[in-house]
Amino acid sequence: MPQGLLLTLSCPSGQWTVAKSKLLGSQQLRAAVVLRALLDHDEIMLLLTSSSSMDDAFSMCWKYQRPNIQKEGDLVLGLFFQLYYATQDFSMVWWLWKKYQHVLAFYFTIEKINRDPHLLPNLTLGFQLYNVYSSEHKTLRDTLRWLSGGDVFLPNYVCKSKYSPVAAITGTSPTFSAEIGALLQLYRTPQVTYGPFDPMLSDKDQFPSLYQTAPKDSSLVHAVVSLLLRFGWTWVAIFISDDLKGEQFLQALNVEMVKKDICVALTERLPALKKADTTSVFSALSRLSIPPANVHILYGEAESLIIVDLMASFFLTIGKVWIMADNWDITVVETHRILHSFHGSFSFSQHKREIPGFQNFLKTVNPSQYPDDFFFSKYWMHHFNCSPTGSSCGKIGACGPNTSLDKTMTRYNDIMTLSDSSYFLYNAVYAVAHVLHEVLVERIAQGSPEDAEQPRPPPWQDLATRHMGTFTLALCIAGTFTHLHPCLKKLQFTNSAGQLISLDKKENHGATYDIQNAVNFPGGLRLLVKVGEFASGSLLHQGLVINEEIIEWPIGFIQTPQSVCSQSCGPGFRRIPQEGRPVCCFTCVLCPEGHISNETESEHCTQCHPHKYPNTEKSLCLPKVVAFLAYEDPLGMALACAALGFSALTAGVLGVFVKHRNSAIVKANNRALGYVLLISLVFCFLCSLLFIGHPNIATCILQQITFGIGFTVAVSTVLAKTVTVVLAFKATGPGRRMRQLLVSGAPNFIIPICSLIQVMLCAIWLGTSPPFIDTDAYSEHGHIIILCNKGSVTAFYCVLGYLGSLALGSFTVAFLARNLPDTFNEAKFLTFSTLLFCSVWVTFLPVYHSSKGKAMVAVEVFSILASSAGLLGCIFAPKCYIILVRPEKNSMKCLKDRSSRRNKISEDFSHKSPFFKA
């Protein structure tokens, strides 16, 4: 097997030039290219040979074959096809054996028409086949040779008169069709193409004699975008041919992708092979970096797509999904590796029906049936290593008895699958036959029976110089066949597959695309599996039908691949675009507090209703639970128990004092004020229960009023007791004027006076902005707290400030009287109680403001209980201790023992303390 690419030039002078190229990586080319220059006809022929003796024998036979294939007939069609591509310097050649199916489809169609008694009766179709390649000079000479009818071309002359070329069927390359289109227009010869639809060729001002059988692929862009959306592929790389067709496809694709937020990671324009040499090809390959996207879209002319096939050979890019939008069968026909980059790829082909009888024709055809077709012999030799008897080179090797195209389980068995171009070629030949038949029928209806017996229609060229029948010449002069072009424009017929065919591309008949999945198996076997289809005219998602279960993904994927710039932002997140990058590249950010997003790829978060809250994932708003400081709550139950316990304890202390009302300690500390203080403390403890439970209008009003007035009575009572202690001390001396105040009960008026002021403040509060029921939907997550709004915050702090001033006054007086000499002096206890009271409510303010929801209520209840308990404990605990535990100290004898010492100490103390001077 050759180790490189051999380029041999044969000239009449006998000089040979042999060049050996470098090895192309791991991909070794198996063939040598023999280039023979026939200067007498100015033509070039390329042959593919190998080193075996069998192939050598075949090559010796083949190099003397005719440059074209022909079959005589009354009407002759010209078929121009292309079996290989080559660089400009012929250093690199690619044979595309799949394209030989076009020739077999042409044979099949010609024979089928000739056997049809209802289509062109008594006339036969002949043909001339030309294999063209990347040489504009060679293409034009082949075209002129076909028009002149000889092996050499003579412009404006006809070498033979046996046949009349009536139409040219041109191949898959629109570049080639455009090259010969201008030349055929000069001769007014119809040109029908069977390649993919090209918008450039539809310009009737430039190509008035050219017709395309392939339907418009305007829906192809929608089909590709629909497939991308189906699998969530939003980050793709695009490879297109560097020509007008590729640019138009790219422009239309970009418009649709922008609408659907699909971004392009890389756009690469592939150079045409015919304009490139080895250096430029490898330079282009070096620029094709591996893009970050997992999905690659491939579209363009076959010559450009060859570059991608070569790239796949040298830069194995497994783990990429290729979407072949055009000419895919040409690109991957030589693929035989299961790890090839195109394994698991998708292709779009316009929906077509099977041609009746074509499969059976492929199964039975062999080169012996077409002995002049040396390409068929070469195809057979290349695939089966033999040549049957009757072929162009005779019997070479030994072909098996069952050798046929459908018996080979190799990669070349792909020829059994009907390609788009073969189907379009079948329709192109039938279109020309139907038009010729229509014109002849019309002429027969207008002419005489003798004229109708003429076997051949005239050609488009100047037939006055041709040797034709009398009636044929008369038809030409009369201009009968000038109506052939209008017939082609308005032609509509139903082919044998049952599909309506029209060459008028102004009408939009809609298109249906089959989506196929390419699967490579070991040993070179490859299958095309139809996995879905797309029908234009439907909504984008409704037009696509695909069976994901039967899709074979490329190597490296065990499930549906992902191709995104950034991972999707799930529910609960919103996406923020990344600066300087496409819209598909973004950062996912968690929704802020109180907001949700219940869709993927959400750009904004939605705020929940105040009565709802987001779940943990921030994907759904849930209704908030109504909550309040209930008795069932542990905290509410604890506070309620504490309130009841302290109330019972206070009632118990009151009972003890009532029981021992005549004892010295009870009588010495103003028994009446003690009763009032204990009763007010009971109410203070019980008022805390108004803060617990479901709030209502009554409790909201009562809890603040009861709190304010109850504590005012308690604190004013403490103030009265403190003042009583001071007056009692100052009234003990002889001649003291304070005795009258003490005896008259003046300190007892402090309580109603102070309480009246607090009542007035509360009345103003209720009259201006009373408390009401309110809800707090933000303090606790997932809860709506029902609580009492204080209405006027100013009024609340005025009430609280008034209580504070009373407590501060009581503390000041009690602090100054703490050291008065008295047997049962309670000034120290009053000092501690008021100090504790003030400390509790000073601490209450910052804690209350930093709390929310039920915690605010709990803080206020706790402050009420703590301050009330402080007054109860500091004032009455020592007295209860003496009454219950040390009753011996609770007697008049103890009081008399200390009375003598009290007078002396009081006199000394009064002289030292200016506060107690008369």
Side-chain angles (χ1 to χ4, degrees), residues 251-470:
Q251 183 179 4
L253 184 63
N254 282 333
V255 170
E256 290 300 319
M257 290 198 303
V258 168
K259 294 179 182 179
K260 302 302 177 181
D261 291 336
I262 301 175
C263 303
V264 179
L266 171 71
T267 300
E268 191 67 40
R269 292 168 175 82
L270 307 173
L273 193 63
K274 63 178 292 184
K275 299 179 181 179
D277 52 19
T278 306
T279 303
S280 61
V281 168
F282 280 96
S283 176
L285 289 177
S286 63
R287 295 195 306 271
L288 295 179
S289 58
I290 304 303
N294 287 333
V295 175
H296 299 171
I297 298 176
L298 186 59
Y299 181 87
E301 291 303 317
E303 288 190 51
S304 299
L305 304 188
I306 290 294
I307 300 294
V308 179
D309 194 28
L310 187 62
M311 179 187 69
S313 300
F314 292 107
F315 307 102
L316 187 61
T317 56
I318 61 175
K320 304 294 182 181
V321 179
W322 288 87
I323 299 178
M324 313 292 182
D326 190 21
N327 278 323
W328 93 272
D329 57 330
I330 298 174
T331 306
V332 301
V333 68
E334 305 301 338
T335 299
H336 63 280
R337 301 180 302 277
I338 188 172
L339 288 179
H340 194 277
S341 300
F342 298 133
H343 170 73
S345 61
F346 292 93
S347 68
F348 286 88
S349 63
Q350 300 212 12
H351 181 71
K352 55 187 177 296
R353 303 177 183 178
E354 289 295 331
I355 301 175
F358 185 60
Q359 285 293 319
N360 185 63
F361 172 79
L362 293 178
K363 293 177 182 179
T364 58
V365 70
N366 63 73
S368 62
Q369 300 174 9
Y370 303 95
D372 294 335
D373 187 352
F374 46 87
F375 293 112
F376 199 3
S377 298
K378 177 59 183 174
Y379 179 90
W380 206 268
M381 184 69 188
H382 187 66
H383 300 335
F384 305 114
N385 293 322
C386 69
S387 177
T389 303
S391 62
S392 60
C393 289
K395 180 177 177 60
I396 300 177
C399 294
N402 295 324
T403 303
S404 63
L405 296 179
D406 69 323
K407 294 295 192 300
T408 56
M409 297 300 293
T410 67
R411 61 185 182 275
Y412 308 110
N413 199 40
D414 189 68
I415 199 171
M416 296 297 296
T417 304
L418 179 65
S419 68
D420 292 348
S421 298
S422 297
Y423 184 74
F424 298 150
L425 188 148
Y426 173 82
N427 293 330
V429 177
Y430 258 98
V432 175
H434 277 287
V435 169
L436 291 174
H437 182 83
E438 181 181 344
V439 172
L440 285 176
V441 170
E442 180 182 355
R443 185 56 191 168
I444 290 174
Q446 296 176 357
S448 62
E450 293 80 10
D451 294 337
E453 293 178 358
Q454 296 297 328
R456 293 182 296 272
W460 284 105
Q461 293 83 0
D462 184 6
L463 299 179
T465 60
R466 293 177 181 265
H467 178 68
M468 306 294 289
T470 304

Side-chain angles (χ1 to χ4, degrees), residues 174-175 178 197-203 206-207 240-252 269-270 275 299-301 304:
T175 304
F197 181 85
D198 192 285
M200 177 185 66
L201 301 179
S202 62
D203 185 1
Q206 188 176 0
F207 305 103
I240 60 169
S241 56
D242 192 9
D243 53 22
L244 178 61
K245 181 179 180 180
E247 291 297 331
Q248 289 180 341
F249 175 81
L250 178 62
Q251 183 179 4
R269 292 168 175 82
L270 307 173
K275 299 179 181 179
Y299 181 87
E301 291 303 317
S304 299

Side-chain angles (χ1 to χ4, degrees), residues 81 83 97 182 189 196 230 263 364 434 533 549 575 646 829 888:
F81 62 98
L83 281 182
W97 291 112
T189 302
R230 171 63 177 79
C263 303
T364 58
H434 277 287
E533 66 179 28
E549 295 180 356
R575 64 181 190 180
F646 281 120
F829 304 132
E888 67 277 5

